[in-house]
Each structure stands twice: as structure tokens, then as C-alpha cells.
Amino acid sequence: MQLRKVTAASAAVLALALTATACGSDKEDGGSGGGKKITVGIKIDQPGIGLKTPDGKYTGFDVDVATYVAKELGYDAKDIVFKETKSADRETAIERGDVKFIAASYSINDERLQKVDFAGPYLLAHQDILVRADDDSIKSPADLNNKKLCSVAGSTSAKNVKDKLAPKAQLQTYGGYSECLTGLENKVIDALTTDDSILAGYASQQNFQGKFKLAGFKMTNENYGIGLKKGDADLKKKIDAALTKMVSDGSWDKAVKDNFGPANYKNEPAPKIGNIVK
């Protein structure tokens, strides 16, 4: 009787050990692939950049870049775990190890470089404005004076325009870019400002195609990089190599066309690795 109890207990321990081993196979392995998982930070609410669709899929230029990089690191698409990383949480997510790397319209700047490292850049974007396709009244940033300019809560883009380029612009605060687009379409506002890549992504949505246009003002330079833990030189080197290959084999151009093409986005050529445009 005692023997049966010991045997049953041993079997239970063995089952737990096997379960732990199986679970362990799903953990990240530091960037060497081998069928294990990798968690990547992205945006999930920016069409054309990073969007989670109602059916649970992920689309956008940053998603395509992240998928390509992960593949070069040895991971199949099924092994990628996409995790939403909001702008304010990106450095914390990297420092805590919640994600292996982040591709989320993440501009490289000196302040962020104090906390994280960046591979790339992989896209040079610019602050621009979006207007209605039939509006020819705004030919320069100064023409935004006395115009209603959409400001998204938490964004500094519209404030930068008002402070530096068009002091008489009338800021209209909305909860998100989608609301700004609705206001722009209905002529409640006259313009929306943020990175041109983000604007192109929104304007490329099927329900908005042909309704808006980018002004092409290039008011700032935004070097999008892939954020990773500070000091991880090996991973940075691997990601830089993956980005270089993505450009050389034509996958980068295809991703730009697929995600921004309907908005007639006049993108900059793919930047060279390490070339930060001030």
C-alpha cells in the first residue's frame, strides 16, 4: 500500500517536470531562435504602422520590419509574440525585459539613448500635416495661422507648430488620430499634424483613400529605430544586419508600398545604418 503511494507521488512529480520542460520551450532564448518565442513591442492602433485587426492579426510597416528582423534572428512568424507598447511605456518595457526589441514609430533621440540602445534607423520620417484632398489653401506651415489644427491629447506635434511656425493656429484637442480624421473629413478642422508616416498610414485606410493628402512640409526629422536593451551589442549587430538585408533584397521597398502606397506617400530612401539625420 505504501509502495503505491510512493509510485503515485513519483508519477505526479514526473508529470510536473515534463510540464515545466514543455513550458520552458516557449521562453525566449536570447535571439538565437530554435523554435522558441520572441516578444516584440509594437503599436496596435496605428494603421499602416502597427495595427491589430478585429480578427487578431497584426499589420503595418513596423510589423513587417519586426517580422523580417525576427526571421533573420531565427524565429518563424508563429514564434513571434507581439505586445502593445504605448509611447510612454517603451523604455520601461525594454529595461524590464518585457520585450526583446521594439519597432513602434520609435524615434531615436539623445534622451532615449540614455536608457536604451537603437538599431537602425530603418525609416526617416518627418512631421507633416494632412489636409483634405481638395484644399489648396495651405501651401506652407505659416498658412496654418487662423486655421483649426487638430491636436491629439498627449502629442506635442501640434504645439510645436503653434510655438514655432504658426502662432495663430487654433488648436483643437481630440482623443485620437481617428477622431481628427473624422473632424477633417467633416470640415470641423482644417489640418492634422504628426509624423508623415503615421498620417500616410491613416490616409491609406480603405474608407479614407483619396480624401486626404500630405502637404510635404518636412518640419522635423524623425529617425525610426528598433529599441533594445542598453549594452546588448550582439543583438544590435544582428538587427542592423537584418535591416541592411531587408533593404538590399527589396523587402523594405515592398513594405513601404504595401502600407503607405494608397496615400501617395513620398518616402525618403531607406536610411543607412547609423545615419541619424538631425
Side-chain angles (χ1 to χ4, degrees):
M1 192 71 179
Q2 183 68 26
L3 179 60
R4 278 203 303 272
K5 288 182 179 179
V6 172
T7 302
S10 299
V13 170
L14 177 60
L16 285 171
L18 290 173
T19 301
T21 302
C23 292
S25 67
D26 286 337
K27 292 181 179 178
E28 292 187 26
D29 61 2
S32 61
K36 297 183 180 180
K37 303 292 184 181
I38 184 170
T39 304
V40 179
I42 59 167
K43 293 290 183 68
I44 65 169
D45 58 355
Q46 290 183 345
I49 297 288
L51 181 70
K52 184 177 183 180
T53 60
D55 58 0
K57 295 180 181 179
Y58 297 91
T59 65
F61 181 72
D62 282 352
V63 173
D64 290 346
V65 170
T67 301
Y68 189 100
V69 168
K71 182 179 179 181
E72 290 300 305
L73 293 177
Y75 298 93
D76 293 331
K78 63 181 175 59
D79 299 321
I80 303 171
V81 178
F82 287 118
K83 181 180 180 67
E84 179 185 14
T85 50
K86 296 182 178 180
S87 296
D89 301 329
R90 289 178 295 204
E91 287 83 34
T92 302
I94 291 171
E95 292 172 334
R96 250 189 343 228
D98 295 343
V99 295
K100 195 67 179 178
F101 64 81
I102 289 178
S105 55
Y106 201 3
S107 297
I108 303 170
N109 62 37
D110 292 338
E111 182 181 352
R112 289 167 180 163
L113 282 168
Q114 299 300 312
K115 299 179 180 180
V116 300
D117 281 340
F118 284 95
Y122 63 89
L123 182 71
L124 174 58
H126 306 283
Q127 185 180 341
D128 199 357
I129 67 164
L130 193 72
V131 297
R132 288 181 293 277
D134 60 356
D135 185 355
D136 296 321
S137 66
I138 304 174
K139 296 180 172 61
S140 73
D143 292 331
L144 290 167
N145 281 311
N146 301 313
K147 296 284 189 179
K148 294 179 181 177
L149 179 64
C150 186
S151 176
V152 174
S155 171
T156 59
S157 296
K159 187 175 183 299
N160 288 340
V161 172
K162 184 174 177 64
D163 289 348
K164 300 174 183 178
L165 301 168
K168 294 182 180 179
Q170 301 171 22
L171 299 188
Q172 308 289 311
T173 303
Y174 284 69
Y177 293 117
S178 294
E179 295 172 45
C180 284
L181 281 167
T182 300
L184 187 58
E185 183 179 18
N186 296 332
K187 300 185 178 182
V188 178
I189 61 170
D190 300 305
L192 160 62
T193 184
T194 186
D195 295 356
D196 53 7
S197 57
I198 296 174
L199 295 174
Y202 276 102
S204 293
Q205 293 180 92
Q206 189 170 3
N207 56 319
F208 290 136
Q209 287 178 21
K211 294 181 178 180
F212 307 111
K213 63 183 178 183
L214 283 89
F217 290 160
K218 298 184 179 181
M219 293 179 280
T220 63
N221 294 321
E222 306 294 337
N223 299 274
Y224 287 3
I226 291 184
L228 62 147
K229 186 164 288 188
K230 196 160 187 65
D232 196 339
D234 182 59
L235 181 59
K236 179 178 178 179
K237 182 179 179 181
K238 289 178 180 178
I239 295 177
D240 279 343
L243 293 173
T244 300
K245 183 178 178 181
M246 185 178 187
V247 173
S248 65
D249 69 11
S251 299
W252 188 91
D253 285 323
K254 183 179 185 303
V256 169
K257 183 178 180 180
D258 288 348
N259 293 291
F260 305 130
N264 295 316
Y265 175 48
K266 296 177 176 60
N267 64 283
E268 298 280 3
K272 293 182 180 178
I273 298 301
N275 184 24
I276 308 298
V277 179
K278 299 293 186 179

